[in-house]
Amino acid sequence: MKKKLLNTTNKLLWPSAAILIILILWQAVCSAGIVQKFLLPSPIDIAAAFISDFPLLLSNSSVTLAETFIGLLLGIVIGFLMAVLMDRFNGLYKAFYPIVVITQTIPTVAIAPLLVLWFGYEMTPKIILIVIIVFFPITVGLLDGFRRADGDMINLMRSMGASKMQIFRYIKFPGALGQFFSSLRISVSYAVVGAVISEWLGGFNGLGVYMTRVKKAYSFDKMFAVIFLISVLSLILMWVVNILQKKCMPWEKKK
Amino acid sequence: MAELKVSDVSFSYDNITTVIDGINIELNENELVCILGTSGCGKTTLFNVISGLRVPQKGRVILNGKDITGSPGHISYMLQKDLLLPYRTIEDNVSLPLLIKGEKKKDARQKVQDYFEKFGLQGTQKKYPSELSGGMRQRAALLRTYMFSKDVALLDEPFSALDTLTKSDLHSWYLDVMDKIRLSTLFITHDIDEAILLSDRIYLLKGKPGKISDEITIKEPKPRRKDFNLTKEFLEYKREILAKLYNSRFADNNG
């Protein structure tokens, strides 16, 4: 127990120290007037802006987070269904896998205004964009996991007379869980960023809208405050995924 | 009457190169029969046919008077790899065959409990495979095989991946368990000592395509003496088998 505690402190100690040093240097550069204040706010200015605008940031985050969650959920469901179907029917795999890859080469910044044009300024275009971003890692991760299932294991199941559904349920799905959670970790951070980007390009509330507003007002301290908040939100979501993974895969920690 | 009868089975993967040719095997009740052969002579192919995973071009597989050629789900099959699912506890791994047959999780768990002691696995019920030694995992794999079918089991080199000491440990364990559960078993090995030690009869499979060349009955009564593998009779059997295997290779070399 003590050793574990020591380990965590050790793990946290180094990056915390590094971040602290960077912050001190940053503050020093700003205080000494090496960089103009309106170009780069100091960490203390940012903290002050964060605190003074906190209620506004909070209400905007709730909108962004709502979009993120709905988009994530839909993206996971769609990604999962696509992976299952493409694994089950090889024809679908051949037909759709290239298309799935192509969707990822479309720059989000380019497609977001179109989505706004088609679906309006409310949540719909944002959620669609998040779904487009999120389903890809999920589909690819799960497919990879399904396909990695041990051929001998599948043969053994078949020799016991298992149906394809049973092979999926007992072998392929649990075997792909690790892959799924790795993909999900990527997806959650993409989802937050995706929500913010889609808000830049049209909308009434959300962290992205707040960001464009403060940028236009040249309030770079507030700009940094919101960047900080977005990072923290992404980190919290990734942490939640880690906890979920530990809960869903109890055999992993016993290794 | 023979419990399992393989009559005149031939198989080729591409209809051109025959892998096994005209195989005749009989397995009587409570008998342990070995198929001994060098690697590449089609042992595993033969098992795939017997278990129903592959359909032979010629011949029949009869289990208790019923034709089961090409239909999996009648005979239990165990491979060299233990193929325990890392994400299921040992009791859940062992009850997998029952789940495939449509039993409820609770009932399946209940049913397997009685066998843990018989198989020398007491206390491992709630453990994950990664927490067990290679020998224990192989025991669990055999129990899973047994849970699938108490009639006939096919074991494909089940002990060959283990170190010598664990192997000989498992041999005596195996004879002991077999004495208790009386499972008719067809056993593949390339280890001559193992074949003589465990079997009632040995078929020699050799050549390309693989054919049964000889049948040797081990007359040593069961349960066998602890030092059977150090006796003169044992050596005589070994000499006989070596001669038969060696002659064939010699003949092969001459064309």
Side-chain angles (χ1 to χ4, degrees):
Chain A
M1 193 63 213
K2 202 174 172 189
K3 201 176 171 191
K4 199 181 162 194
L5 211 74
L6 237 137
N7 250 333
T8 5
T9 22
N10 225 337
K11 242 198 267 173
L12 285 176
L13 189 68
W14 291 99
S16 319
I19 291 170
L20 198 68
I21 290 169
I22 292 169
L23 285 178
I24 290 169
L25 281 176
W26 182 356
Q27 185 66 43
V29 166
C30 291
S31 303
I34 298 170
V35 181
Q36 294 291 318
K37 199 178 174 178
F38 68 90
L39 282 178
L40 181 69
S42 74
I44 290 173
D45 295 336
I46 295 167
F50 186 82
I51 291 163
S52 73
D53 253 16
F54 190 67
L56 208 54
L57 282 171
L58 212 60
S59 70
N60 280 311
S61 317
S62 67
V63 176
T64 306
L65 278 179
E67 291 160 2
T68 306
F69 278 124
I70 298 171
L72 255 178
L73 212 67
L74 284 175
I76 291 169
V77 171
I78 293 171
F80 182 80
L81 287 178
M82 288 190 64
V84 171
L85 288 174
M86 275 160 52
D87 177 64
R88 179 71 178 73
F89 305 103
N90 208 26
L92 280 183
Y93 175 79
K94 280 185 192 150
F96 283 103
Y97 196 77
I99 298 178
V100 168
V101 174
I102 288 168
T103 62
Q104 296 313 297
T105 61
I106 301 169
T108 30
V109 192
I111 201 173
L114 284 175
L115 290 172
V116 170
L117 206 66
W118 294 334
F119 300 103
Y121 286 90
E122 296 296 334
M123 268 192 177
T124 322
K126 284 125 194 156
I127 290 168
I128 292 174
L129 192 80
I130 295 169
V131 169
I132 292 174
I133 297 172
V134 161
F135 89 92
F136 179 75
I138 302 279
T139 304
V140 173
L142 275 174
L143 250 184
D144 192 38
F146 293 158
R147 296 195 155 222
R148 253 191 231 178
D150 190 332
D152 284 336
M153 192 62 226
I154 291 175
N155 261 345
L156 182 69
M157 292 287 286
R158 282 181 52 217
S159 85
M160 293 180 188
S163 64
K164 286 211 159 153
M165 188 62 212
Q166 284 174 323
I167 291 176
F168 179 79
R169 177 172 166 200
Y170 294 121
I171 311 293
K172 288 190 167 180
F173 178 66
L177 267 181
Q179 228 90 6
F180 170 74
F181 278 108
S182 306
S183 307
L184 192 59
R185 252 192 301 278
I186 300 171
S187 287
V188 288
S189 56
Y190 280 11
V192 178
V193 174
V196 171
I197 290 176
S198 63
E199 285 164 356
W200 279 354
L201 300 153
F204 304 116
N205 350 58
L207 290 175
V209 177
Y210 175 90
M211 221 173 185
T212 30
R213 212 181 297 143
V214 296
K215 193 189 84 187
K216 278 181 188 150
Y218 293 99
S219 317
F220 286 168
D221 49 349
K222 289 179 181 174
M223 185 86 174
F224 273 98
V226 70
I227 291 172
F228 170 73
L229 181 61
I230 290 167
S231 294
V232 169
L233 288 178
S234 294
L235 281 174
I236 290 175
L237 284 178
M238 282 159 97
W239 175 72
V240 170
V241 172
N242 276 340
I243 303 260
L244 264 179
Q245 178 169 20
K246 278 196 185 127
K247 276 261 178 289
C248 293
M249 303 174 69
W251 58 91
E252 282 291 328
K253 66 170 178 252
K254 295 215 173 177
K255 266 182 190 164
Chain B
M1 198 192 91
E3 206 173 353
L4 176 74
K5 210 172 162 199
V6 178
S7 61
D8 199 26
V9 160
S10 301
F11 181 83
S12 72
Y13 283 100
D14 50 7
N15 280 316
I16 303 162
T17 33
T18 311
V19 185
I20 44 173
D21 188 20
I23 304 282
N24 285 297
I25 287 173
E26 275 185 19
L27 177 67
N28 301 308
E29 213 176 327
N30 295 337
E31 214 182 7
L32 206 163
V33 172
C34 228
I35 295 168
L36 181 65
T38 46
S39 30
C41 66
K43 287 175 293 189
T44 299
T45 307
L46 175 61
F47 266 26
N48 281 337
V49 170
I50 299 175
S51 66
L53 291 175
R54 301 259 182 204
V55 186
Q57 276 78 5
K58 212 179 83 186
R60 295 266 142 254
V61 182
I62 314 283
L63 178 69
N64 292 322
K66 211 175 112 199
D67 190 339
I68 56 156
T69 318
S71 94
H74 300 281
I75 296 178
S76 50
Y77 193 172
M78 175 177 164
L79 286 91
Q80 179 183 346
K81 287 190 273 178
D82 57 63
L83 292 177
L84 295 171
L85 300 169
Y87 40 83
R88 295 179 86 90
T89 56
I90 297 299
E91 65 175 358
D92 285 346
N93 260 294
V94 167
S95 50
L96 190 63
L98 301 175
L99 296 180
I100 291 173
K101 284 181 182 167
E103 290 203 31
K104 292 218 175 66
K105 195 173 179 177
K106 214 179 130 198
D107 299 343
R109 268 191 188 162
Q110 196 61 45
K111 271 190 188 167
V112 298
Q113 291 311 323
D114 306 341
Y115 295 99
F116 272 82
E117 203 178 328
K118 249 183 200 157
F119 277 70
L121 282 163
Q122 53 276 54
T124 62
Q125 281 93 328
K126 303 282 176 208
K127 289 194 170 159
Y128 287 103
S130 57
E131 298 173 272
L132 264 56
S133 67
M136 289 303 264
R137 293 169 62 130
Q138 219 56 24
R139 288 184 192 200
L142 187 72
L143 175 53
R144 181 178 59 185
T145 311
Y146 179 64
M147 290 319 297
F148 174 70
S149 159
K150 298 182 172 69
D151 286 343
V152 175
L154 305 179
L155 310 186
D156 188 350
E157 306 199 358
F159 307 133
S160 65
L162 302 168
D163 63 90
T164 321
L165 289 176
T166 314
K167 197 170 172 175
S168 84
D169 203 34
L170 271 190
H171 283 157
S172 47
W173 166 82
Y174 181 71
L175 286 172
D176 190 42
V177 170
M178 282 298 144
D179 195 44
K180 280 188 244 173
I181 62 175
R182 309 217 163 261
L183 176 70
S184 319
T185 310
L186 207 55
F187 192 109
I188 286 180
T189 184
H190 57 239
D191 181 337
I192 300 176
D193 289 34
E194 184 172 83
I196 303 169
L197 196 63
L198 301 180
S199 4
D200 300 307
R201 270 185 304 131
I202 300 172
Y203 288 105
L204 295 187
L205 183 68
K206 58 188 190 189
K208 260 184 188 175
K211 285 181 188 168
I212 301 282
S213 69
D214 298 277
E215 186 187 331
I216 296 137
T217 307
I218 309 290
K219 293 191 183 77
E220 178 75 13
K222 283 189 170 179
R224 293 200 165 139
R225 296 173 260 173
K226 283 262 178 287
D227 58 351
F228 175 50
N229 55 350
L230 301 172
T231 58
K232 216 177 117 213
E233 293 95 316
F234 187 93
L235 268 179
E236 283 300 324
Y237 284 123
K238 193 167 179 178
R239 208 185 297 277
E240 183 188 346
I241 292 168
L242 275 172
K244 281 175 173 157
L245 284 175
Y246 183 78
N247 276 345
S248 76
R249 211 177 292 166
F250 189 70
D252 278 351
N253 285 344
N254 286 328

